[in-house]
Amino acid sequence: MDDAGSGSTSKVERTMDEYGLDGFGAELEAAWTGEDGDRTSLRSLAEEFNRTVLGVAMREADGSASRSDVESAHRTLTDDDVPRSEVLRTRRELDRRGVDVDAVLDDFVSHQTIHTYLTAERGARPPDESVDRIEERRETIERLAGRTEAVTESAVESLADADRLADRPYEVFVDVRVTCGACGTDYRAGELLRRGGCSCAAE
């Protein structure tokens, strides 16, 4: 979208104005500082911001866009591991719906841009760095697991379509787990990071 004439001082502010995201800045700040409990990393905030922008553009284009449609389109357009053929297919579909894909992508922001907005524009106090690093690592693991699941689903679907795999209603599950070598307790990786490690060491 065109930002000509905007008096906003940051890309985040301009984009929120252009897409009618009233109150979203306060939500970003609350999520980053942990005002409502759990803190959210800058990378996750940037992804959520960009998904929201894409969702608004999709709904403005044809009046409808489910959350799953937006998430799928966002993943395809931003994930480096998505096959080029899938990216082109998604871009063509969005073009048919009336979405200016290049303009929307140009309105996407990075986590550094979100950080500058929160600290310089809103004067937000950054969260404890050690907590933020744990959260970022947890989200990286979950993001990789989701990527593995998506790639596997795509492979199974394409092989079934090509009659190289029996056509059945397959479901793919990716669950990254960590086992404590001291006590043998098994955890989901994300749960272990949130707990700060296995509790057996403190017993």
Side-chain angles (χ1 to χ4, degrees):
M1 291 187 179
D2 186 6
D3 63 0
S6 172
S8 300
T9 58
S10 74
K11 182 176 182 180
V12 173
E13 283 280 7
R14 292 195 302 271
T15 304
M16 288 192 297
D17 288 344
E18 292 159 13
Y19 287 82
L21 301 178
D22 297 334
F24 199 55
E27 293 179 21
L28 292 173
E29 180 178 349
W32 187 51
T33 59
E35 180 180 310
D36 299 322
D38 293 337
R39 289 168 173 169
T40 304
S41 73
L42 292 168
R43 291 184 186 279
S44 291
L45 291 177
E47 289 178 0
E48 179 61 26
F49 185 92
N50 295 337
R51 273 195 299 269
T52 301
V53 165
L54 178 60
V56 171
M58 291 172 67
R59 285 187 289 274
E60 286 184 347
D62 64 7
S64 65
S66 68
R67 182 173 180 84
S68 61
D69 284 343
V70 174
E71 290 179 347
S72 176
H74 176 268
R75 181 188 66 82
T76 302
L77 293 172
T78 60
D79 195 327
D80 293 337
D81 290 342
V82 174
R84 179 169 174 76
S85 59
E86 185 178 342
V87 175
L88 293 175
R89 184 165 57 249
T90 296
R91 289 181 67 102
R92 284 196 296 269
E93 174 60 27
L94 291 173
D95 285 338
R96 282 196 294 270
R97 296 174 68 163
V99 177
D100 186 337
V101 179
D102 289 331
V104 172
L105 290 177
D106 190 53
D107 288 329
F108 279 7
V109 301
S110 66
H111 70 281
Q112 292 98 333
T113 303
I114 291 290
H115 179 270
T116 299
Y117 165 72
L118 290 171
T119 56
E121 295 289 319
R122 299 189 66 88
R125 182 169 176 262
D128 180 82
E129 292 184 359
S130 63
V131 175
D132 202 40
R133 280 200 297 272
I134 290 174
E135 182 66 12
E136 286 193 0
R137 299 303 188 276
R138 182 185 67 80
E139 290 173 354
T140 296
I141 293 170
E142 293 181 352
R143 192 160 51 244
L144 289 171
R147 185 178 302 170
T148 300
E149 183 175 316
V151 170
T152 304
E153 286 177 345
S154 178
V156 170
E157 182 180 345
S158 62
L159 289 171
D161 289 344
D163 295 326
R164 301 294 300 277
L165 194 68
D167 191 3
R168 300 289 188 273
Y170 299 108
E171 290 187 69
V172 177
F173 299 96
V174 176
D175 189 14
V176 182
R177 308 190 71 87
V178 180
T179 300
C180 175
C183 68
T185 303
D186 179 74
Y187 300 94
R188 282 191 170 89
E191 178 190 0
L192 181 70
L193 296 185
R194 279 192 294 267
R195 290 168 61 98
C198 183
S199 59
C200 71
E203 294 177 351

